[in-house]
Amino acid sequence: MTFQAYINSKNITKYQLSKISGVPKTTVIDICSGKSSLEKCSARTIQQLAKALDCSMEFIMSLDPAKAEYDSKTGLPYNDEYLERGLPPYLQISLEAMKESWEMIDSGKKDLHWDLTWCDLNSDINVAEVEQEISSEQAWYLRKKYLRMERDDD
């Protein structure tokens, strides 16, 4: 089980966990997305998370899914799919709708609601980024993959 899956099972948001534990929200987001590893967290951070989640520090450490290969320069996994972890439920719903819409379009069929689906997803990504439920890096990854947008600086 991943750390994100565990906090989901406790029906707690990353924001709530941050407030209860005292661990910065950005740290919680980075752990959930896989950008930061629990193994690299301080004992104090692990202790705060364990206390807030009412479990042992050992259990928290067992949740780390460090199975990907990492770039030695950046410390990030080679596979960008870690950026799709820990997404809020409303964003996951919008992503699924956009996937279905793209499948129709790419197969040559018409989707009369494609523009609405695209706008809904774009809006949900923006809201999640502004509310700091996802990082800017995650937001741009989702925009590129699902909205087929490009950044000016790419």
Side-chain angles (χ1 to χ4, degrees):
M1 176 183 288
T2 65
F3 185 72
Q4 177 65 51
Y6 184 66
I7 66 171
N8 288 348
S9 74
K10 292 284 210 171
N11 290 322
I12 187 170
T13 66
K14 292 180 276 277
Y15 176 77
Q16 291 168 326
L17 179 58
S18 171
K19 289 295 180 193
I20 294 167
S21 68
V23 174
K25 184 170 36 173
T26 54
T27 301
V28 174
I29 290 169
D30 287 349
I31 292 169
C32 289
S33 71
K35 186 175 181 181
S36 291
S37 170
L38 285 165
E39 292 176 354
K40 293 182 181 178
C41 291
S42 70
R44 182 169 190 258
T45 297
I46 300 299
Q47 181 183 31
Q48 289 173 287
L49 293 170
K51 185 176 179 183
L53 294 168
D54 194 31
C55 62
S56 70
M57 292 174 64
E58 292 80 11
F59 180 76
I60 294 289
M61 293 304 295
S62 74
L63 297 173
D64 198 15
K67 294 187 175 39
E69 293 188 29
Y70 294 89
D71 183 327
S72 61
K73 292 179 185 174
T74 65
L76 297 174
Y78 288 116
N79 186 339
D80 283 344
E81 290 180 7
Y82 73 92
L83 294 167
E84 291 190 51
R85 285 195 225 141
L87 302 177
Y90 67 91
L91 186 52
Q92 292 174 4
I93 291 167
S94 293
L95 286 173
E96 287 305 315
M98 192 76 245
K99 285 179 198 175
E100 290 173 14
S101 188
W102 278 121
E103 283 178 23
M104 288 177 66
I105 298 292
D106 291 342
S107 69
K109 297 177 185 169
K110 288 191 181 207
D111 180 2
L112 300 177
H113 299 287
W114 175 88
D115 56 338
L116 297 172
T117 306
W118 192 96
C119 289
D120 284 346
L121 177 56
N122 191 34
S123 174
D124 286 346
I125 291 170
N126 292 339
V127 168
E129 182 180 18
V130 168
E131 294 296 324
Q132 297 182 348
E133 295 177 296
I134 63 173
S135 67
S136 182
E137 181 182 15
Q138 282 177 293
W140 273 106
Y141 170 82
L142 296 172
R143 288 180 188 115
K144 286 179 183 179
K145 183 171 180 179
Y146 295 103
L147 299 176
R148 302 181 180 179
M149 294 173 68
E150 292 294 327
R151 284 177 102 163
D152 290 338
D153 58 340
D154 282 350

